[in-house]
Amino acid sequence: MNEEKIQHYGDALYEAWRARRTIPPLVEQAPDITLDDAYRIQQRYVARRVQAGETIVGKKIGATSKPVQDFLGVFQPDFGQLTSGMVYQEGDTLPLDTLIQPKAEAELAFVLKADLQGPGVTAMDVIRATDYVVPCFEIVDSRITDWKIRIQDTVADNASCGVYVLGKTKGDPRKLDITLAGMVLEKNGELYSTGVGAAVQGSPANAVAWLANTLGELGIPFKAGEVILSGSQSALVPVADGDELVCTVGGLGSCRVKFAGRSAV
Amino acid sequence: MSQNLSLSREDIVRLCERVEGAQTRACAIPKLTDEYPAMTIADGYAVQSELRRRYLAQGHRLVGWKAGLTSKAKMKQMGVDVPSIGFLTDRMARPENAAISTGDLVHPRVECEVAFVMKRELRGPGCTAADVLAATDYVLPAVEIIDSRFAGFKFDLPSVIADNGSSARFVGGGRARYVEELDLRTLGVVLEKNGEIVAMGASAAVLGHPAEAIAMLVNILADLGETLPAGSFVMSGGITEAIAVKPGDSVVARFQELGSVSMRFVA
């Protein structure tokens, strides 16, 4: 795909995000779009948000579970970039009117204390470079109509990033079994689903190592202080006005989030 | 019991003999409600109690109980809407790391559970999760090998209860722990077959908390005129969906804080 088309689709996604409306799948608009094209479109879309005043604060890893990879027809995860406008604190009420067609995922977030430079990064390096982990919610959202995504669509759309909320209980991955830590997700006081760290690439640290190596090949920095959302450990939860979600990571703690307002769809 | 007996004593003995034959010869039979459509949950427990009486008369030793169908996933998988219980005998126990024969089973499946060992007798009705935790000596990880004797694993609640909740074999192991040192609600579990992850979950999948399932079990025992004696080994119900196994399969269940339980299956 030539640079002009990359910019065109990147701009289209940026405008869709700003106006909170959707566009048809890119794989329909440009059937020969490759995964590399999609990451270049993502770069353009994110660059537009940075030009408009946001900063890059971290990364998210998506498509980390086997069911999602099977659905998208891929054998590896994908990633997107977290920007300053996506950040909410636990205790905030999330305004749904800033989103299009949101769904929540319960995850473990990593905060780095040292740069991770791939290729050649292992899960052991990830633990060594991790300042702390926290339970978190990622609210994924799609600028693609009806979530009708193939892998190229979600990658171009910044891995379907919406907003995210970090919990307040920090854990040391040397004291917590992040692979076997259970994940319990409740919606409005009732059990919604359960999971475990291993649902993410065998261990969340494996997903972070994959990202470090992938970014290393693309020449994208992975810096101390960045937040990394390591991938969903729960079922996707649709959210609406008044909903409250709590996720609890066994041996660590909880993240609680409330929603208000109406999303675009 | 919420429903009354519909079967005569003769029918109960007849169905018990049918279930016992299927269990001991490892052959599948049609679900009992095909012949007795009016069969109730109380009828199911009457058949199960007769089966227990017969096994104990043959010298089997009662070692504990199991709760079954305790997660939404299991209830959905099996098309039922209430949990159930079954009894466990010494003949069903297999040691950790054992080679378990499938030749004497119909269509075995494995599932991961938190097991409780009791230090005090518990008696229903009105038993609560707090009562259970106070009466628990320790918890440990377990794998239950269930094996419905009904063709195609297709059954309803009265039939599965009569078949002793599909109980077949069980393996306790891993690491024994005091309950007060754990958050029993959020323990993560990974089930691996031949080195590949095949099922995952966290312990809240069992009625919100495994001790809730044990309390429910004690209250069902009260309906049957039984108590849960000190020393009982009690399995609280599958955290994961049940996974089919065959000869040659190697299974490891890994539990947060509780270690792992492994076994392999042979012909």
Side-chain angles (χ1 to χ4, degrees):
Chain A
M1 195 175 276
N2 65 33
E3 191 55 34
E4 193 183 331
K5 279 199 161 165
I6 298 285
Q7 289 197 6
H8 168 76
Y9 290 120
D11 292 346
L13 283 163
Y14 173 74
E15 294 300 340
W17 167 74
R18 252 180 29 131
R20 285 184 278 289
R21 55 177 171 72
T22 60
I23 61 173
L26 301 187
V27 292
E28 286 176 14
Q29 300 187 53
D32 57 348
I33 182 174
T34 66
L35 193 56
D36 282 345
D37 296 334
Y39 276 112
R40 285 162 67 206
I41 294 168
Q42 177 193 118
Q43 292 273 44
R44 173 69 181 186
Y45 164 33
V46 173
R48 291 291 308 272
R49 289 184 63 157
V50 170
Q51 278 166 20
E54 294 189 63
T55 53
I56 306 276
V57 296
K59 307 281 183 283
K60 72 151 279 186
I61 311 170
T64 47
S65 73
K66 185 138 190 335
V68 172
Q69 290 186 2
D70 288 347
F71 171 74
L72 290 171
V74 294
F75 302 97
Q76 58 173 7
D78 62 16
F79 73 89
Q81 316 226 37
L82 303 178
T83 58
S84 48
M86 300 174 183
V87 186
Y88 286 86
Q89 302 304 319
E90 192 176 6
D92 292 349
T93 297
L94 255 74
L96 288 172
D97 50 15
T98 63
L99 299 166
I100 302 168
Q101 39 189 350
K103 299 173 199 281
E105 303 180 334
E107 309 192 6
L108 192 66
F110 288 67
V111 176
L112 297 183
K113 62 181 177 187
D115 296 355
L116 272 175
Q117 180 63 54
V121 170
T122 64
M124 291 73 87
D125 298 318
V126 170
I127 302 292
R128 191 173 48 81
T130 297
D131 190 2
Y132 58 87
V133 293
V134 283
C136 79
F137 276 109
E138 181 186 359
I139 318 304
V140 294
D141 199 7
S142 182
R143 273 59 63 176
I144 305 294
T145 306
D146 298 334
W147 276 99
K148 275 182 66 185
I149 52 170
R150 303 306 299 161
I151 187 69
Q152 296 93 327
D153 296 303
T154 181
V155 165
D157 188 24
N158 197 22
S160 307
C161 248
V163 297
Y164 69 93
V165 187
L166 298 184
K168 288 180 172 140
T169 324
K170 297 176 181 178
D172 181 340
R174 296 162 195 78
K175 294 181 180 168
L176 174 72
D177 186 344
I178 58 172
T179 299
L180 291 179
M183 174 66 86
V184 177
L185 174 57
E186 291 153 293
K187 180 178 184 181
N188 301 328
E190 284 195 15
L191 182 69
Y192 190 86
S193 79
T194 73
V196 64
V200 176
Q201 298 285 292
S203 167
N206 291 342
V208 179
W210 171 86
L211 179 61
N213 292 324
T214 303
L215 293 175
E217 283 170 22
L218 297 173
I220 300 173
F222 202 9
K223 293 290 194 191
E226 283 199 63
V227 173
I228 300 118
L229 311 187
S230 62
S232 180
Q233 298 182 18
S234 70
L236 278 168
V237 199
V239 286
D241 187 26
D243 282 343
E244 184 179 39
L245 300 182
V246 182
C247 71
T248 307
V249 175
L252 177 57
S254 299
C255 180
R256 181 180 296 268
V257 60
K258 272 189 177 161
F259 298 87
R262 287 187 54 152
S263 55
V265 175
Chain B
M1 209 60 35
S2 54
Q3 291 165 292
N4 295 323
L5 287 176
S6 76
L7 300 180
S8 67
R9 179 69 199 158
E10 291 70 32
D11 288 337
I12 288 166
V13 170
R14 207 170 139 254
L15 288 179
C16 177
E17 283 169 354
R18 191 184 299 177
V19 169
E20 185 185 0
Q23 290 193 356
T24 48
R25 288 194 297 273
C27 61
I29 55 174
K31 64 182 193 295
L32 307 183
T33 43
D34 287 355
E35 188 183 348
Y36 293 91
M39 198 178 160
T40 64
I41 291 172
D43 291 322
Y45 280 114
V47 175
Q48 185 192 114
S49 295
E50 176 63 14
L51 186 68
R52 174 161 47 100
R53 193 193 62 75
R54 282 173 173 250
Y55 283 148
L56 298 190
Q58 292 162 28
H60 302 202
R61 195 169 71 81
L62 183 70
V63 297
W65 293 84
K66 59 153 271 181
L69 308 173
T70 47
S71 72
K72 272 189 190 163
K74 279 291 288 188
M75 289 188 217
K76 203 173 151 198
Q77 188 180 5
M78 292 303 166
V80 300
D81 54 9
V82 197
S84 65
I85 71 168
F87 62 88
L88 302 174
T89 71
D90 59 336
R91 308 291 172 96
M92 303 177 190
R94 295 292 180 272
E96 198 169 4
N97 216 29
I100 297 174
S101 170
T102 60
D104 49 2
L105 301 171
V106 183
H107 35 211
R109 297 179 180 183
V110 293
E111 54 188 39
C112 305
E113 313 194 13
V114 175
F116 291 64
V117 174
M118 311 314 296
K119 62 184 173 189
R120 282 205 299 277
E121 183 189 51
L122 277 174
R123 187 184 287 271
C127 180
T128 66
D131 297 334
V132 170
L133 294 174
T136 300
D137 185 359
Y138 64 92
V139 292
L140 73 163
V143 170
E144 182 177 12
I145 297 109
I146 55 169
D147 184 33
S148 175
R149 266 56 63 160
F150 299 118
F153 246 97
K154 294 242 177 338
F155 51 69
D156 43 38
L157 201 51
S159 296
V160 70
I161 288 168
D163 185 28
N164 195 22
S166 307
S167 300
R169 307 282 180 264
F170 64 87
V171 182
R175 194 176 159 197
R177 297 290 301 266
Y178 290 112
V179 291
E180 54 269 28
E181 292 175 3
L182 299 170
D183 179 359
L184 274 180
R185 197 178 74 90
T186 56
L187 295 174
V189 175
V190 173
L191 179 62
E192 294 179 358
K193 183 166 88 171
N194 304 325
E196 198 176 328
I197 296 176
V198 289
M200 291 173 282
S203 49
V206 176
L207 294 181
H209 191 297
E212 293 286 353
I214 307 295
M216 177 216 77
L217 180 145
V218 171
N219 291 328
I220 293 177
L221 282 177
D223 286 339
L224 303 178
E226 302 280 346
T227 67
L228 184 65
S232 294
F233 169 85
V234 199
M235 290 192 288
S236 57
I239 295 166
T240 57
E241 63 191 298
I243 301 294
V245 288
K246 59 181 192 318
D249 284 341
S250 176
V251 166
V252 182
R254 301 162 64 201
F255 289 70
Q256 183 182 16
E257 305 288 354
L258 298 176
S260 62
V261 181
S262 64
M263 70 218 63
R264 63 201 163 86
F265 291 88
V266 295

